[in-house]
């Protein structure tokens, strides 16, 4: 009797928990866009990775099934199935109760022990069905849920046994709920990218990925025994590297520190931070620690070797990072995160630990590898020389044009001056630019037409970037200056427009132009993206005009297919827009300019590998992967209607 009562009490709180998750899914998985959808997989995989970190799991398999579900299998100890307090099996507790406040974070750091099920109940609540098989102690135990509610009947309070086995492990299959998510097709590109990253950070783990949704199953195995050294190698795979990656490792005050870095013949830096296997998109204390100590150590060497004379000033931190690719990975017992997207590591002791470990190890390394030391210092020296000559050039260049806003007579500015109210549309092509100027609300919408392909900034050097007319006009219009990697002159508080909207045709050329613009922003004005000011307009492909009823814009071929199923042939006419230039002013206003009816998507940078390698993929000479990427992401809309 006693047991029954507590069980009922437990099930009430379970239902309340589930309801909370289903009511405000964004709180638990970030969003209900495709990104949130993919996140479900990471929640389940991360638990299996914890089992790996605990020392009991060597392989994880992730399968995207034909029916739209995902299966994650690990060969760990198996989630405990024994009767737990409250009279239900431990496994049910893991899948039905919100742990640690249920916040969208990964704050728990578990090297071992603990019932690492954080996130499992969230995935369960947001799935139409979830099926679980646990192999333990010779038996296969089974459980099943629908929208988070258990439907499997217990036998004497325990999970039914559906077979025998001599293996151990956990196998979870779940089908995301279309009532919750905007779309329910996982992105193979993104999932693979994240799994690959997980493999780099866990060199002894084997991760198998299978996509069964196509005609032929596609399979790939991620195993990176070189760890973050392999990560750095991979990030640099398409550029001219100057030496083998350098690996440093150690621990200080309970914080484990691992760093791998390599210099390449490039005018840029790429430094990625991870804490407890989680990517820190906004960086944080560990990166500060790394950068500070690198600057100090390298300036000391430059003086010792006589490269910097007594009268010379030090190299700046950015000079010293010119050409570097680095991965800084730490394990912290109690991490805290801050920042816009809660991805900035806040623990100041992490800065200390990283600078202590790197400071000691770096000197040991460079004392023995003087040739590499000289190579690295020559990168810094090159950067410093360019910086000095450009500091001059830039003051001339930008001051001359400071208020000649519209240097080519092309920017049609808006009347209002309050940046919070203003928007700027960067429009591909002069003819579309002309229509946009007619269609806009000139009080708060500015139009900047750009012609053809702007410069490929990934390949161009800074002086060429600065000399490009379209880029100059853009920098002047935004009003914030730009950050060129050496010294940061970018000032987001001066931004003149709250929204910067890229408006390009819905074809391959349009996608290319969007990508070039995004690369420019990512490299030289990343805060524009980080702070959510950059958008991509999503113009429709068709307009359907029925003989009876309302006209409708159709944004992709899927929408057209749907429309055709609902409407008899002959009952409507169809207009196809080949480009923005083909819309009249009214149509342009309705579909891409009017905040009430337009569709656009906010550009986000979160995923480490995507953010840092997309431009490589897109800008490299490799055409096929570029197309595949653009097409996949062109569909990937976080709609902001
Ligand atoms: C706590 C204890 C034990 C296993 C696990 C958690 C576990 C959790 C997950 C989640 C996904 N896969 C997992 N594998 C294992 C084992 C306790 C014991 O056997 O003594």
């Amino acid at each position: 009797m006693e047991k029954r009562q507590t069980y009922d009490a437990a099930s009430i709180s379970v239902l309340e928990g589930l309801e909370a998750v289903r009511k405000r899914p964004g709180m638990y998985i970030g969003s209900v866009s495709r990104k949130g959808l993919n996140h479900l997989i990471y929640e389940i995989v991360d638990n299996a990775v914890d089992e790996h970190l605990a020392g009991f799991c060597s392989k994880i398999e992730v399968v995207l099934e034909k029916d739209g579900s995902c299966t994650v299998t690990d060969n760990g100890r198996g989630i405990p199935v024994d009767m737990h307090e409250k009279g239900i099996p431990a496994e049910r507790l893991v899948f039905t109760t919100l742990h640690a406040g249920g916040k969208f974070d990964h704050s728990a750091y578990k090297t071992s022990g603990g019932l690492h099920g954080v996130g499992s109940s969230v995935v369960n609540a947001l799935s139409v069905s979830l099926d679980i098989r646990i192999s333990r102690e010779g038996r296969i135990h089974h459980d099943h849920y629908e929208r988070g509610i258990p439907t499997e009947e217990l036998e004497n309070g325990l999970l039914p046994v559906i077979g025998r086995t001599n293996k151990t492990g956990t196998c979870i299959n779940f089908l995301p709920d279309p009532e919750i998510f905007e779309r329910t097709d996982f992105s193979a590109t993104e999932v693979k990218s994240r799994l690959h990253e997980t493999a780099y950070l866990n060199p002894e783990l084997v991760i198998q990925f299978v996509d069964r949704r196509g005609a032929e199953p596609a399979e790939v195995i991620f195993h990176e025994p070189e760890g973050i050294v392999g990560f750095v190698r991979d990030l640099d795979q398409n550029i001219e590297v100057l030496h083998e990656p350098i690996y440093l490792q150690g621990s200080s005050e309970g914080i484990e520190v691992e760093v791998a870095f390599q210099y390449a013949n490039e005018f840029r830096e790429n430094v990625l931070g991870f804490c407890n296997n989680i990517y820190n998109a906004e960086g944080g204390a560990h990166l500060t620690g790394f950068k500070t100590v690198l600057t100090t150590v390298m300036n000391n060497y430059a003086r010792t070797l006589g490269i910097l004379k007594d009268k010379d000033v030090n190299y700046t931190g950015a000079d010293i990072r010119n050409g570097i690719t680095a991965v800084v990975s730490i394990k912290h017992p109690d991490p805290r995160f801050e920042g816009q997207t809660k991805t900035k590591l806040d623990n100041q002791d992490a800065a200390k630990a990283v600078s202590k470990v790197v400071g000691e190890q770096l000197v040991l390394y460079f004392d023995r590898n003087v040739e590499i030391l000289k190579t690295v210092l020559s990168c810094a020296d090159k950067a410093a020389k360019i910086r000095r000559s450009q500091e001059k050039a830039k003051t001339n260049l930008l001051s001359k044009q400071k208020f000649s806003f519209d240097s080519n007579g092309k920017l049609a500015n808006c009347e209002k001056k309050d940046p919070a109210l203003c928007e700027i549309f960067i429009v591909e092509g002069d003819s579309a630019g002309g229509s946009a100027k007619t269609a806009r609300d000139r009080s708060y919408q500015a139009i900047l037409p750009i012609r053809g392909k702007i410069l490929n900034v990934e390949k161009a050097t800074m002086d060429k970037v600065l000399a490009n007319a379209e880029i100059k006009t853009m920098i002047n219009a935004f009003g914030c200056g730009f950050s060129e990697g050496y010294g940061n002159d970018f000032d987001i508080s001066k931004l003149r427009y709250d929204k910067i909207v890229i408006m390009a045709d819905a074809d391959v050329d349009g996608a290319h132009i969007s990508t070039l613009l995004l690369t420019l922003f990512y490299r030289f004005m990343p805060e524009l993206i980080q702070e959510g000011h950059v958008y991509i307009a999503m113009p429709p492909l068709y307009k359907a005009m029925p003989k009876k009823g309302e006209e409708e814009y159709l944004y992709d071929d899927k929408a057209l297919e749907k429309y055709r199923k609902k409407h008899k042939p002959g009952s409507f006419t169809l207009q196809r827009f080949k480009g923005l230039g083909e819309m009249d002013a009214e149509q342009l206003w309705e579909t891409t300019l009017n905040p009430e009816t337009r569709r656009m998507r906010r550009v986000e940078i979160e995923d480490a590998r995507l953010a840092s390698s997309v431009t490589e993929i897109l800008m490299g000479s490799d055409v096929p992967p570029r197309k595949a990427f653009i097409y996949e992401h062109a569909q990937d809309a976080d709609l902001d209607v």
Side-chain angles (χ1 to χ4, degrees), residues 295-550:
T295 307
T296 312
V297 170
M298 299 315 279
N299 270 305
N300 286 345
Y301 272 121
R303 294 206 181 268
T304 313
L305 293 175
I307 298 171
L308 283 182
K309 305 280 186 295
D310 284 348
K311 62 177 171 47
D312 294 331
V313 294
N314 270 356
Y315 294 124
T316 65
D319 290 342
I320 284 178
R321 294 190 299 278
N322 175 37
I324 201 173
T325 299
V327 172
V328 178
S329 169
I330 70 159
K331 302 273 157 60
H332 195 288
D334 181 27
R336 285 185 317 272
F337 300 100
E338 51 151 2
Q340 291 261 323
T341 53
K342 290 270 169 288
T343 57
K344 181 172 183 182
L345 183 68
D346 192 27
N347 307 65
Q348 293 315 305
D349 56 353
K352 252 197 193 162
V354 174
S355 71
K356 180 155 188 287
V357 170
V358 173
E360 287 168 8
Q361 305 285 318
L362 200 56
V363 175
L364 288 179
Y365 179 85
F366 279 138
D367 281 352
R368 293 201 191 104
N369 295 275
V370 180
E371 281 316 303
I372 296 178
L373 170 62
K374 285 181 181 163
T375 307
V376 171
L377 285 172
S378 77
C379 291
D381 202 61
K382 250 199 268 178
K385 284 207 173 87
I386 296 177
R387 168 172 57 82
R388 286 186 211 112
S389 78
Q390 288 192 346
E391 270 163 8
K392 281 184 208 150
K394 196 174 68 188
T395 4
N396 294 340
L397 201 97
L398 288 182
S399 62
K400 255 187 230 152
Q401 305 186 338
K402 204 145 214 173
F403 297 105
S404 71
F405 227 55
D406 183 4
S407 51
N408 305 315
K410 287 207 295 183
L411 174 80
N413 208 1
C414 52
E415 292 157 2
K416 291 203 169 102
K417 291 277 171 268
D418 179 0
L421 306 173
C422 294
E423 306 178 339
I424 183 168
F425 290 80
I426 301 170
V427 187
E428 169 204 358
D430 283 333
S431 75
S435 319
K437 283 182 193 176
T438 317
R440 69 179 171 143
D441 180 335
R442 59 190 311 128
S443 72
Y444 69 98
Q445 293 180 321
I447 308 286
L448 176 64
I450 56 166
R451 214 174 316 127
K453 305 259 156 93
I454 59 157
L455 198 68
N456 181 343
V457 286
E458 185 73 8
K459 291 270 175 278
T461 54
M462 263 313 295
D463 45 343
K464 283 199 195 130
V465 171
L466 274 176
N468 181 278
E470 332 253 23
I471 291 178
K472 267 198 297 202
T473 313
M474 218 149 35
I475 292 170
N476 277 330
F478 295 171
C480 323
F482 59 96
S483 142
E484 16 144 9
Y486 340 104
N488 190 349
D489 282 347
F490 184 84
D491 183 356
I492 191 120
S493 71
K494 298 217 171 91
L495 183 62
R496 293 196 175 105
Y497 307 93
D498 179 62
K499 294 192 174 66
I500 296 168
V501 186
I502 300 174
M503 218 163 129
D505 284 341
D507 60 10
V508 176
D509 279 344
H512 191 204
I513 287 179
S514 307
T515 309
L516 288 172
L517 284 170
L518 288 181
T519 308
L520 174 77
F521 298 160
Y522 174 65
R523 288 280 176 237
F524 301 110
M525 305 170 242
E527 283 145 291
L528 290 182
I529 303 179
Q530 277 154 9
E531 304 208 352
H533 293 289
V534 182
Y535 295 78
I536 295 185
M538 310 277 291
L541 288 182
Y542 310 96
K543 182 179 187 178
M545 294 164 283
K547 297 208 166 107
K548 273 185 223 149
E550 298 234 340

Side-chain angles (χ1 to χ4, degrees), residues 539-544 552-556 559-560 563 574:
L541 288 182
Y542 310 96
K543 182 179 187 178
E552 218 176 293
Y553 288 106
L554 305 173
Y555 287 82
D556 53 32
L560 176 61
Y563 194 89
L574 198 66

Side-chain angles (χ1 to χ4, degrees), residues 41 56 83 140 164 224 275 284 310 363 408 453 494 530 549 563 569 589 602:
I41 299 182
F56 299 99
M83 178 93 75
I140 305 173
R164 311 214 133 253
E224 297 291 350
C275 177
D310 284 348
V363 175
N408 305 315
K453 305 259 156 93
K494 298 217 171 91
Q530 277 154 9
Y563 194 89
W589 166 251
R602 180 179 264 170

Side-chain angles (χ1 to χ4, degrees), residues 195-361:
L195 294 177
H196 202 171
E197 189 183 293
T198 304
Y200 284 121
L201 295 168
N202 299 280
E204 279 163 37
L205 183 60
V206 176
I207 304 178
Q208 183 175 20
F209 172 85
V210 187
D211 187 350
R212 295 215 171 106
R213 298 171 303 175
E216 296 281 322
E219 202 177 309
V220 43
I221 290 176
F222 299 111
H223 180 211
E224 297 291 350
E226 277 199 319
I228 59 171
V229 167
F231 200 164
V232 165
R233 246 191 248 288
D234 189 31
L235 289 167
D236 281 351
Q237 65 186 334
N238 295 321
I239 57 181
E240 182 199 335
V241 299
L242 300 174
H243 60 89
E244 280 289 297
I246 297 166
Y247 176 76
L248 312 171
Q249 178 241 343
S251 73
S252 165
E253 293 185 40
I255 301 166
E256 285 172 50
V257 178
E258 254 191 306
V259 175
F261 70 94
Q262 180 175 44
Y263 279 80
N265 193 11
E266 293 282 311
F267 283 99
R268 60 146 169 86
E269 56 173 273
N270 188 10
V271 181
L272 308 178
F274 294 83
C275 177
N276 298 350
N277 284 344
I278 310 291
Y279 173 55
N280 306 120
E282 297 172 284
H286 46 353
L287 295 193
T288 311
F290 173 67
K291 291 176 181 179
T292 313
V293 74
L294 185 69
T295 307
T296 312
V297 170
M298 299 315 279
N299 270 305
N300 286 345
Y301 272 121
R303 294 206 181 268
T304 313
L305 293 175
I307 298 171
L308 283 182
K309 305 280 186 295
D310 284 348
K311 62 177 171 47
D312 294 331
V313 294
N314 270 356
Y315 294 124
T316 65
D319 290 342
I320 284 178
R321 294 190 299 278
N322 175 37
I324 201 173
T325 299
V327 172
V328 178
S329 169
I330 70 159
K331 302 273 157 60
H332 195 288
D334 181 27
R336 285 185 317 272
F337 300 100
E338 51 151 2
Q340 291 261 323
T341 53
K342 290 270 169 288
T343 57
K344 181 172 183 182
L345 183 68
D346 192 27
N347 307 65
Q348 293 315 305
D349 56 353
K352 252 197 193 162
V354 174
S355 71
K356 180 155 188 287
V357 170
V358 173
E360 287 168 8
Q361 305 285 318

Side-chain angles (χ1 to χ4, degrees), residues 560-568:
L560 176 61
E561 214 175 287
K562 253 194 194 161
Y563 194 89
R564 286 211 152 111
K565 276 190 190 139
K566 274 203 210 136
H567 300 79
K568 276 200 211 92

Side-chain angles (χ1 to χ4, degrees), residues 593-629:
L593 292 165
N594 181 358
E596 304 286 315
T597 50
R598 70 188 177 195
R599 284 199 181 196
M600 54 195 213
R601 123 178 123 90
R602 180 179 264 170
V603 176
E604 291 175 77
I605 315 185
E606 254 207 318
D607 184 292
R609 281 177 44 75
L610 282 181
S612 61
S613 67
V614 160
T615 48
E616 309 277 345
I617 299 171
L618 293 165
M619 301 308 163
S621 50
D622 238 1
V623 176
R626 177 192 310 183
K627 277 202 176 155
F629 181 88

